[in-house]
Amino acid sequence: MTDEITAHLRLPGGPVDLAAIETDAAPGFDGKKADGQAALAAMAGELSDLQERLWAERTAGSERRVLLVLQGMDTSGKGGVLRHTIGLVDPQGVRITSFKAPTDEERAHDFLWRIEKGLPSAGYVGVFDRSHYEDVLIARVRELADRPEIERRYGAINDFEARLADEGFSIIKCMLHISADEQKVRLAERLANPEKHWKYNPGDLDERAHWPAYRDAYETALEHTNTDVAPWHVVPADKKWFRNLAVGQLLLETLRGLDLQWPKADFDVAAETARLDEEAPVQ
Amino acid sequence: MTDEITAHLRLPGGPVDLAAIETDAAPGFDGKKADGQAALAAMAGELSDLQERLWAERTAGSERRVLLVLQGMDTSGKGGVLRHTIGLVDPQGVRITSFKAPTDEERAHDFLWRIEKGLPSAGYVGVFDRSHYEDVLIARVRELADRPEIERRYGAINDFEARLADEGFSIIKCMLHISADEQKVRLAERLANPEKHWKYNPGDLDERAHWPAYRDAYETALEHTNTDVAPWHVVPADKKWFRNLAVGQLLLETLRGLDLQWPKADFDVAAETARLDEEAPVQ
């Protein structure tokens, strides 16, 4: 059973101490890797059914949609979650937006301008691979904005997410939590395997040197933006299989919580059936 | 084996007679439904590997990308292909664009304006769920543009697709070919099942009444736009499993044909490895 997992992921209110949250645990799941992979695969049918209902609702005018925000240090596995967990959902109903370093045009606007453009339409499961949180993480660590602007952004983010919730968004925010040692192992793997060289960037090591500053920036961001309408989840991510399973469970419970119903016909079913039965021969 | 399938799908040059192409066949595949489903599932690993290579190439400056165009009458299974075939590919590397009736803004531009905006970036497998072909299909049948404009569009499409091919697009065009009888069965299923009512639109029957005119419009469009750089494939689609398998095979062979290589490192691997080994302790 996987229903016990999510209670362990929800970040409590108050100050955040990431060092106190284990990275290599599998909280709430009583099984090994193969069990976890099987449990994730077993979610596919229900995820698929619920996503189709969400999509169908849209045709009846519903504004509801899901936004899954994935944050984490380099190599924490955002791409793995997209491939293995989001890959279970019908791609017609998924919209993935990846946020890289902002372009000149993006920099000439407020930090939320490009985020707005990447939001999912009604009926979609939207996924942010990095997000507006970069603007209080790398922007804080690398001083890409001055401190008053960084401080302003926490409140702006909360207002923004509250507005989205009012519009019909269900927001799931996940920090994929790995240890510095695990990141070192993963970077070494990328360097050792020519098929993974394209994933490696010398800048990754420059960022890694700022690990403590990033941890502080995460702790501050998580504390300031851990709201009831858009709560944070810290997902232990040293075990890739648990990371994928945990995000799947969060998505599943969010969709379940929407109590999604198939829309009722907005036409006369009997009349249409008769029309089809009685049509003139075609061809 | 599925390698024999695609030769049967490629539309030969010259006039097109859709009535002469079977809709319920499984050409080139010597197996039943369960075999076909297993063969499709067996493609997942290679599709995934090739798509990742295409994606990786992009980081080394490649402009290559794939564009799969799905056309077909209502209920022919464009959504099924997206779910079952495209669903096998890592969603990070997929961009699906669905074209509905054009908006007022889209109508105020040339018909290719919105198509340009929906094109996949380098590295992506782009899929068009309907396409610019609607502008010579429903537009012709329903006289949404005058005849000289429709005639102009065939050449404009060929020029457009030739330009895309020059830019690095591999274009796969599929017409999902169902019989009028099979469409009737599928519409009746939608009417009989309340969970499928949302997929039904009374307008579907209005379009169905124009079946012969649509067949003519398809034949004309296929004949006029069946070029070497963007050839048409007619996919027998009464058997859903064969339809999914056949499109999967077309995608697989297209990706294989690109001879995709992992990009070489653009950094000094030994130096980076030493940097990682010798770094100061983190945390």
Side-chain angles (χ1 to χ4, degrees), chain A residues 200 206 208 272 275 279, chain B residues 200 206 208 272 275 279:
Chain A
Y200 183 88
D206 301 332
R208 177 173 164 79
E272 289 297 315
R275 256 180 95 198
E279 71 172 5
Chain B
Y200 183 89
D206 303 332
R208 176 173 165 79
E272 288 298 313
R275 255 180 95 199
E279 71 172 3

Side-chain angles (χ1 to χ4, degrees), chain B residues 29 36 92 108 110 135 149 166 208 219 223:
Chain B
F29 186 69
Q92 291 175 93
D110 181 64
D135 298 291
E149 168 62 11
D166 285 344
R208 176 173 165 79
E219 289 176 345
E223 180 182 347

Side-chain angles (χ1 to χ4, degrees), chain B residues 44-89:
Chain B
E46 190 181 353
L47 273 177
S48 183
D49 175 71
L50 291 172
Q51 181 275 329
E52 189 172 12
R53 287 170 189 248
L54 180 65
W55 183 256
E57 248 199 17
R58 160 202 184 143
T59 65
S62 168
E63 292 291 327
R64 297 202 290 183
R65 64 204 84 176
V66 171
L67 177 63
L68 171 65
V69 174
L70 298 176
Q71 281 291 154
M73 297 294 284
D74 286 335
T75 77
S76 62
K78 298 178 289 291
V81 168
L82 289 168
R83 176 180 289 243
H84 297 288
T85 304
I86 302 306
L88 296 176
V89 181

